[in-house]
């Protein structure tokens, strides 16, 4: 049953004071990187309630920095590089061109990263299992624009060509940009478009207003938002983010070794297409079965059945061909029922079904089983298969960027006995961001760790002088670009000199200047960042209440 | 170091008396389906000795029946169906057309099936890990022929089109044929050709002389040999083999359920493209390390190292992007060195590298480690990854056709202590066909089972009369189409009435009429075939020596 999700006009209190304080955002979105930049996913059950199409306010968001404030009337798209007819197009120009409109499931390459972070912290923040959403996108086919610029497929035959996309967002390491092989865009069946509408509305600012790239079957990271420039080149994009993001490095690489060996530039490790993935959404995390309720209704068979549900997707336009459930840790697998609403969707039917089918959307699966199956079962696993006859691995493969986790999604079944009540409680592996819960989560990672201090503390300075102490009001005064202190885990740091070097941008620190940023820091920073932090340590916070261990 | 493999002109004694007794075959090929039809793979180490290109005599062969005796001068290729200009081409016509020549790795969808058969017998015979080979194929681009017949890509836009291939081989269920979507063939970058040369020679009879389809990235089963007809249609091929072969059914399906539910026609279960796979070839099966040899040469570091080697491949033109080795059952993985000779091959360099790279060939991998690593190690596993960021599952998934096994290839390390000698012996999971050995092989499945008989035998007839007995000379007289007896596991069967219904063809039985076919039968027949056999039981063989249990 779909919850009625409408656009909101109000500014979330958490955005006040950030560069994004002009963008209305849905209050239920789970924020994953503190206040800013905005990276968020919908609660899983809320997303599933919506069905095939995700309402715009609940679509997951991945922003690298502040959202650029662009205007329909003044925005331009430049097309240049190895083209015979460079273009400079207004949004009104673009809107007059032929268009395609169809549903596409977008997925961030970091979907399900928190499961990897529970093994070992990666460089990335804690996506749960909802870095995935599905919207109807409308836009001009990119190959139409390319032909307008004088490009044709023959140009690709003699030497490699890349199409480099540049967004209007200003980031610490210059602009956000990336590239894909030109040929992928020229082939009409791949449905690459420059989108200006999402679910029948102009794009929301968080989704690239007024123009973004949509490359079905690819990871979200290649679908540049706030698109301002397309350059055709013999070389891949020179953007920092093209090389240092959206890569899967072998497990043995940490960032230092990756930098030393320049492995970021090894073409084997780029991610373009989505891999196969599947998730259990019913039972939800913390959902439970009260055994007496089932046993009390012996005459009603419906009451004794439970319907497992979930989603599955794969990349490159491949079809999900089966989904299977195991109740015995992979020893045996039961075929689930597949529901693929894509080809029956009114928009697709109106458009006409491609005679060479490409599957750009998620599938749903369900399996109705007797609730007896749960009573002696320790966990429920899901795996999907696609038309390439590949399937998912059982175990996750940790990688330093925390990308592309597609190991079997496993829901544990725990029991609670209270008096005569016997409950089976379902537990997902993690909960997104700094939310606690999940069988992979060893401790309440979101609670501030109250430490005791001694001269031998690993964070103590080299000399054995008395460590300075500050109270919260002392720290609060140092709240600007020229004098910026922060509190993390009861320690005070003077970050003023570090501001311009912060990989996440100056503003990400400044909006919290003078404050306790323990949660924000712990959510997204690597061990390396922790080491770096030590250089700016200036003393300890004095707290008025007794610290609890 | 490549062994010099030359074509042989002599007929193998095993082919004498079969319909194929005119085809020279290499004596070292391991035969997998008894005498006839010819299905064979090279010994693994012999294949690896050849390197990137497999000599024709060692290329794996998959024949469904007798090889048709075709002639260059009289063979014709018909192109008909939904074409504006039907064609009837001679081989000389075809040879005059433009051509492409390049290496392609062919793989049977049943590669590594014996591992599945060790879990439970499938309908298929025991491929080891060498249903894979790589040759340089030369032929006319199929899209050239299609354009000649008046087809263009626009024809595909409005409704689906399939290209149906028909071979000249006569089989029990009519002709061998299959189809793929037409669009795949029209796209020049997919390199589909009609080949008339293999490694610089006319095709050998076993490989489709004079003409076969080559569809790089696909399973071998779609690359029809002895190609005689191409029909363009709105429907898929109507060949029995198109639906009842080269399908991966979910594990819960046996043949009866599959027939009942007509699941053969479910498009989700067709196999077109190869999945990701990798195999360890060094150490070979039964290779060993004598510890004293390593410890005696402490000063020579080279003597203390061992280089693991193997192959890897994937489908759809994807690139193998990494191969990893685990010595601790998948807890940790070590990155191996990748060698991808494809793009450096002289034929490819001469042709020009496709600016939109497609990978049609196997890769090789190696990893040099200290031999110390083996001493406390129980098994070596390999897994590959490809550009879609998918990898192989740890465990095999049994399916009734025994297809597409790509679970981690695991070599066990056993020890033998004899006096002061301590050996580490490597053991592959299986050996091909009815060869014994391999850690998955519980018993010597190739040895005839000598049974004792009683009235309660499951094979005994319904009445309790005395069971007739025959000696080997009695049986030998019933050796023709009108009177055909065979011996299996010391039991005598009169198959005369069954000859015309045999799924493997009349000749497959007739060449063994009057003989003991225990090995041939046990190698390839399902439980269902065993059940069927009971109907033709007429008595027991009297053996002159005492039966051993």
């Amino acid at each position: 049953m779909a919850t009625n999700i409408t656009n909101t006009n109000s500014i979330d209190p958490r955005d006040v004071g950030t560069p994004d304080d002009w963008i209305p955002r849905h209050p239920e979105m789970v924020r994953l990187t503190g206040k800013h930049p905005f990276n968020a996913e919908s609660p899983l059950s809320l997303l599933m309630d919506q069905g095939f199409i995700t309402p715009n306010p609940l679509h997951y968001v991945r922003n690298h920095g502040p959202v650029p404030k662009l205007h329909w009337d003044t925005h331009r798209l430049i097309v240049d590089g190895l083209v015979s007819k460079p273009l400079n197009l207004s949004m009104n120009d673009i809107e007059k061109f032929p268009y395609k409109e169809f549903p596409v499931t977008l997925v961030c390459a970091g979907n399900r990263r928190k499961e990897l972070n529970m093994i070992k912290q990666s460089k990335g923040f804690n996506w749960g299992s909802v870095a995935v959403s599905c919207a109807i996108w409308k836009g001009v086919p990119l190959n139409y624009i390319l032909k307008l610029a004088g490009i044709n497929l023959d140009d690709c035959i003699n030497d490699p060509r890349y199409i480099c996309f540049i967004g209007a967002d200003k980031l610490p390491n210059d602009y956000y940009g990336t590239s894909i092989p030109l040929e992928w865009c020229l082939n009409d069946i791949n449905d690459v478009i420059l989108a200006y509408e999402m679910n029948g509305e102009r794009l929301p600012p968080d989704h690239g207003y007024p123009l973004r790239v949509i490359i079905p079957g690819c990871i979200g990271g290649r679908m540049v938002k706030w698109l301002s420039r397309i350059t055709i080149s013999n070389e891949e994009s020179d953007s920092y983010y093209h090389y240092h993001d959206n890569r899967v490095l072998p497990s043995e690489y940490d960032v230092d070794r990756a930098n030393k060996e320049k492995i970021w530039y090894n073409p084997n490790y780029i991610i373009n297409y989505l891999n196969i993935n599947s998730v259990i959404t019913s039972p939800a995390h913390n959902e439970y079965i009260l055994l007496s309720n089932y046993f009390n209704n012996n005459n009603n068979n419906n009451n004794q059945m439970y319907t497992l549900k979930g989603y599955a997707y794969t990349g490159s336009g491949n079809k999900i061909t089966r989904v299977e459930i195991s109740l015995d840790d992979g020893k045996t697998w039961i075929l689930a029922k597949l529901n693929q609403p894509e080809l029956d969707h009114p928009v697709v039917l109106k458009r006409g079904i491609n005679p060479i089918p490409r599957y750009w959307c998620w599938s749903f699966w369900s399996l109705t089983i007797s609730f007896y199956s749960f009573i002696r079962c320790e966990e429920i696993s899901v795996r999907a298969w696609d038309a390439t006859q590949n399937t998912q691995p059982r175990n996750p493969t940790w990688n330093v960027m925390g990308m592309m986790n597609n190991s079997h999604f496993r829901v544990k079944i725990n029991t609670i006995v209270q008096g005569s009540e016997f409950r089976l409680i379902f537990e997902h592996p993690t909960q997104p961001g700094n939310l606690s819960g999940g069988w992979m989560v060893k401790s309440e990672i979101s609670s501030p760790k109250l430490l005791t201090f001694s001269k031998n503390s690993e964070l103590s300075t080299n000399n054995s002088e008395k460590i300075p102490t500050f109270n919260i009001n002392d720290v609060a005064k140092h709240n600007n670009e020229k004098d910026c202190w922060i509190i993390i885990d009861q320690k005070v740091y003077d970050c003023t000199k570090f501001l311009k070097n912060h990989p996440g941008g100056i503003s990400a620190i400044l909006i919290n200047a003078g404050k306790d940023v323990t949660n924000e820091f712990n959510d997204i920073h690597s061990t390396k960042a922790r080491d770096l932090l030590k250089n700016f340590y200036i003393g300890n916070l004095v707290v008025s209440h007794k610290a609890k261990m």
Side-chain angles (χ1 to χ4, degrees), chain A residues 139-333:
Chain A
V140 53
L142 180 51
N143 66 357
Y144 179 87
I145 301 275
L146 295 174
K147 281 172 195 159
L148 216 59
I151 291 178
N152 63 65
L153 195 53
D154 294 339
D155 295 333
C156 305
I157 296 303
N158 296 318
D159 56 1
R161 297 284 163 104
Y162 297 93
I163 181 157
C164 305
F165 303 110
I166 297 177
D169 40 344
K170 300 284 180 296
L171 299 174
N173 291 290
D174 210 6
Y175 69 93
Y176 187 84
T178 187
S179 58
I180 64 169
L182 178 59
E183 172 260 346
W184 187 261
C185 302
L186 283 174
N187 194 338
D188 196 54
I189 62 170
N190 291 331
D191 279 339
V192 182
I193 60 171
L194 305 184
Y196 46 80
E197 276 191 21
M198 179 180 181
N199 289 330
E201 298 170 359
R202 292 272 161 93
L203 303 185
D206 277 327
H207 296 289
Y209 178 84
L211 192 67
R212 80 174 295 178
V213 191
I214 293 290
I215 313 171
C218 255
I219 55 165
R222 307 270 164 251
M223 308 194 198
V224 173
K225 301 195 280 192
W226 314 294
L227 182 70
S228 59
R229 189 178 212 110
I230 290 175
T231 304
I232 309 303
S233 170
N234 283 325
E235 307 279 342
E236 292 185 52
S237 167
D238 60 2
S239 166
Y240 173 88
Y241 300 95
H242 180 66
Y243 290 102
H244 291 80
D245 200 355
N246 296 313
R247 304 257 156 178
V248 171
L249 307 188
S251 297
E252 62 204 71
Y253 280 83
D254 59 15
V255 171
D256 286 341
R257 184 173 164 199
N259 289 338
K260 197 174 152 195
E261 297 184 18
K262 293 189 168 54
I263 200 173
W264 304 106
Y265 301 93
N266 184 327
N268 280 345
Y269 303 127
I270 195 169
I271 313 165
N272 281 322
Y273 307 110
L274 294 169
N275 57 4
I276 309 163
N277 215 335
S278 58
V279 158
I280 297 167
T281 62
S282 291
H285 180 68
N286 278 346
E287 187 177 331
Y288 64 87
I289 287 178
L290 198 58
L291 257 60
S292 52
N293 283 356
Y294 280 78
F295 284 113
N296 283 342
N297 289 286
N298 274 338
N299 297 328
N300 185 341
N301 276 333
N302 285 338
N303 270 3
Q304 296 186 320
M305 303 303 281
Y306 186 96
T307 300
L308 299 162
K309 293 179 193 170
Y311 71 71
Y313 61 77
T314 187
S316 314
N318 273 322
K319 189 182 183 187
I320 290 287
T321 53
R322 52 174 161 145
V323 172
E324 296 172 320
I325 298 299
S326 179
L327 302 173
D328 56 7
D329 195 21
K331 285 182 204 71
T332 58
W333 293 89

Side-chain angles (χ1 to χ4, degrees), chain A residues 439-459:
Chain A
W439 59 263
M440 291 189 84
V441 183
K442 299 288 182 299
S443 61
E444 300 270 319
I445 61 157
S446 64
S447 57
K449 292 162 204 75
L450 300 182
L451 305 175
T452 51
F453 304 109
S454 75
K455 283 179 189 170
N456 296 325
S457 160
E458 60 157 344
L459 288 182

